[in-house]
């Protein structure tokens, strides 16, 4: 028994939450270190200084993210089955489990790869279209990281939450990161999987951000409502429905990833 923990079960739950947070955070950090390693290698090549293989210095985010999101999905599914809770809370956990596995994992993996290619394909410039393309690439990399970090916190929050309020606050963090993703410039800086600048139409981005904002508000309201009340059931139901739809939207990409695996 460890000091500060009443039971071994609580200790296991805490260790599981922090291990999930570590895996997800490592994915974000690895996307940053990849750029640093690339620049360092260029300098080393010029000075003929040997460097260790990249595989030893950078853990591939393409491998970490799917494992991390799959682990979170399994943890949320287990929590929904084993934790005594209302049907509304169970729906929230199941919907978020599906969202994590089917949508967030593949899409964030693709976005990270897109951001890396965008920055690699554009060089620093002080004027003209080249400057705009470079700035768009840097903005895209920034908003992708904002989105992932927010989801890291939200998913970890939900996995480790001991109360219904904690679960809903975690859901609000996830949806809030999506709102921040758009507010920080995701639509105008969006790049495709090849790293080419392809801005999102304003009407589509506005609609997507509005939906995410509604789900964010629903999670907040549910977290502040009495569990089992009509207000809680409606707000939690709106969040669950939106998360479930998001999971369904990710099925084509998810199947594509499975075929390529």
């Amino acid at each position: 028994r460890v000091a500060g923990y009443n039971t071994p079960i609580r200790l296991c739950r805490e260790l599981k939450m922090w291990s999930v947070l570590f895996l997800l955070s490592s994915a974000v950090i690895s996307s940053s270190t990849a750029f640093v390693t690339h620049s360092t290698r260029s300098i080393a090549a010029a000075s003929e200084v040997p460097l260790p293989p990249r595989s030893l210095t950078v853990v591939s985010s393409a491998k970490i993210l799917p494992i991390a999101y799959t682990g979170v999905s399994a943890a949320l599914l287990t929590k929904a089955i084993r934790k005594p809770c209302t049907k509304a809370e169970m729906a929230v956990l199941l919907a978020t489990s599906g969202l994590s596995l089917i949508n967030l994992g593949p899409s964030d993996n693709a976005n990270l790869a897109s951001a890396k290619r965008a920055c690699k394909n554009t060089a620093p410039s002080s004027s003209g279209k080249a400057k705009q393309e470079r700035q768009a690439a840097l903005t895209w990399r920034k908003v992708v990281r904002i989105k992932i970090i927010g989801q890291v916190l939200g998913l970890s929050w939900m996995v480790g939450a001991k109360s219904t309020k904690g679960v809903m606050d975690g859901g609000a963090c996830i949806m809030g990161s999506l709102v921040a993703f758009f507010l920080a410039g995701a639509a105008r800086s969006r790049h495709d999987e090849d790293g080419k600048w392809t801005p999102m139409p304003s009407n589509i981005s506005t609609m997507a951000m509005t939906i995410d904002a509604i789900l964010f508000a629903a999670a907040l309201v549910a977290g502040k409502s009495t569990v089992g009340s009509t207000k809680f059931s409606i707000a939690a139901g709106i969040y669950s429905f939106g998360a479930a739809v998001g999971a369904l939207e990710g099925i084509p990409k998810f199947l594509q990833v499975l075929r390529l695996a």
Side-chain angles (χ1 to χ4, degrees):
R1 179 174 295 185
V2 179
Y5 292 90
N6 296 326
T7 64
I9 295 177
R10 183 181 174 188
L11 174 59
C12 291
R13 287 176 178 173
E14 293 290 337
L15 290 175
K16 179 170 67 175
M17 181 187 73
W18 285 109
S19 63
V20 169
L21 179 59
F22 172 76
L23 284 172
L24 287 167
S25 300
S26 298
V28 181
I29 294 171
S30 66
S31 69
S32 303
T33 55
F35 291 101
V36 175
T37 303
H38 177 76
S39 300
T40 306
R41 285 187 171 279
S42 299
I43 297 172
S47 58
E48 298 183 355
V49 177
L51 282 176
R54 177 177 177 178
S55 59
L56 298 180
T57 57
V58 179
V59 179
S60 175
S61 58
K63 295 180 180 179
I64 293 177
L65 276 178
I67 294 174
Y69 278 119
T70 300
V72 169
S73 177
L76 292 174
L77 177 61
T78 301
K79 189 169 187 173
I81 296 173
R82 295 184 178 180
K83 181 180 180 292
C85 58
T86 63
K87 292 182 179 180
E89 183 181 354
M90 180 181 290
V92 168
L93 292 170
L94 292 175
T96 308
S97 173
L99 182 68
S100 173
L101 175 67
I102 301 174
N103 189 316
L104 301 185
S107 65
D108 285 347
N109 211 35
N111 287 340
L112 274 178
S114 169
K116 290 179 181 180
R117 294 189 183 101
C119 289
K120 182 179 179 180
N121 294 339
T122 57
S125 181
S126 58
S127 62
K129 185 178 180 180
K131 181 181 179 180
Q132 294 178 353
E133 292 177 345
R134 178 63 176 177
Q135 187 58 49
L138 294 175
T139 301
W140 179 238
R141 184 176 66 178
K142 178 188 70 176
V143 298
V144 166
R145 289 174 179 173
I146 289 174
K147 178 176 181 288
I148 294 176
I149 290 173
Q151 290 168 178
V152 165
L153 295 176
L155 290 168
S156 300
W157 200 336
M158 294 186 79
V159 170
K162 302 298 187 296
S163 65
T164 301
K165 182 182 185 305
V167 170
M168 298 312 307
D169 287 345
C173 185
I174 294 171
M175 295 304 164
S177 70
L178 293 172
V179 175
F181 174 68
F182 284 105
L183 290 177
R188 65 176 181 271
S189 65
R190 179 182 175 273
H191 286 67
D192 63 17
E193 293 185 358
D194 295 324
K196 296 180 180 179
W197 188 16
T198 53
M200 184 183 300
S202 60
N203 59 328
I204 295 179
S205 63
T206 300
M207 180 177 64
M209 185 173 68
T210 301
I211 293 173
D212 292 335
I214 291 173
L215 299 181
F216 169 67
L220 283 181
V221 171
K224 295 182 180 299
S225 303
T226 302
V227 177
S229 66
T230 301
K231 186 178 180 181
F232 171 81
S233 298
I234 292 176
I238 292 173
Y239 172 90
S240 299
F241 178 77
V245 170
L248 292 176
E249 289 177 346
I251 288 179
K253 182 68 178 178
F254 180 71
L255 294 177
Q256 180 183 0
V257 170
L258 290 181
R259 286 195 296 267
L260 296 176

